[in-house]
Amino acid sequence: MSELVLLAGLFLSAFSSATILPGSSEVVMLGLMTQGIGLWAIWTVATIGNVAGSVVSWWMGTAILRFQDRKWFPVGPEKLAKAQGWFNKWGKPALLLTWLPGVGDALSIAAGTLRVHLVPFIVLVGIAKGLRYAMVLGGGDFLGVDELFN
């Protein structure tokens, strides 16, 4: 497969990982390391895709809070209340925790419901997601993941 196709797959995996859809971007990233794709390319595509997915969750929060009592609503009332509580207590810096599994989606949606402006949202989420992916790639590089499968 061409590098472009593989990176497009990574983008989609990272995007879906930051939404209510399932995704496994970390596994895909480590797999791409075994294909000889540069770490910077992997990191950049994964980070952009994951932040873009978080923006979708933020947008959902701005648009669908009125549907929070519906069965299909992506975040339960307890998680949403907890995430909104984080914002009331910590403010925008709570977005630095959007990298956490389970909590990150709720925080992104809560940011939308609380009308956090998009630019600071993107900056803080970008820092959080970028650092997480840097750690994953750094760990994979340290452990020699690319050499294990070659």
Side-chain angles (χ1 to χ4, degrees):
M1 274 192 198
S2 78
E3 186 172 317
L4 185 60
V5 171
L6 293 172
L7 289 172
L10 173 60
F11 179 89
L12 291 174
S13 178
F15 181 91
S16 67
S17 294
T19 66
I20 59 171
L21 301 172
S24 55
S25 57
E26 293 84 1
V27 173
V28 175
M29 287 172 50
L30 295 174
L32 291 183
M33 285 179 70
T34 69
Q35 302 301 308
I37 298 175
L39 294 180
W40 283 109
I42 295 171
W43 179 83
T44 301
V45 170
T47 301
I48 291 171
N50 207 246
V51 172
S54 293
V55 169
V56 169
S57 295
W58 170 87
W59 172 80
M60 287 172 53
T62 67
I64 66 170
L65 187 58
R66 64 183 175 266
F67 300 114
Q68 68 182 337
D69 295 330
R70 306 281 171 91
K71 195 175 219 176
W72 54 263
F73 193 72
V75 178
E78 299 84 21
K79 278 189 178 179
L80 184 60
K82 185 175 182 177
Q84 287 174 327
W86 275 86
F87 272 94
N88 290 333
K89 184 174 182 179
W90 301 105
K92 291 177 194 164
L95 291 171
L96 293 171
L97 299 175
T98 55
W99 66 272
L100 290 168
V103 176
D105 298 344
L107 284 171
S108 294
I109 291 171
T113 65
L114 297 170
R115 305 288 191 228
V116 171
H117 292 287
L118 185 57
V119 172
F121 175 84
I122 289 172
V123 169
L124 291 168
V125 170
I127 291 168
K129 307 280 185 147
L131 287 174
R132 179 188 79 206
Y133 282 144
M135 289 174 56
V136 169
L137 288 172
D141 191 45
F142 177 77
L143 294 174
V145 168
D146 57 333
E147 295 170 10
L148 288 175
F149 298 98
N150 289 327

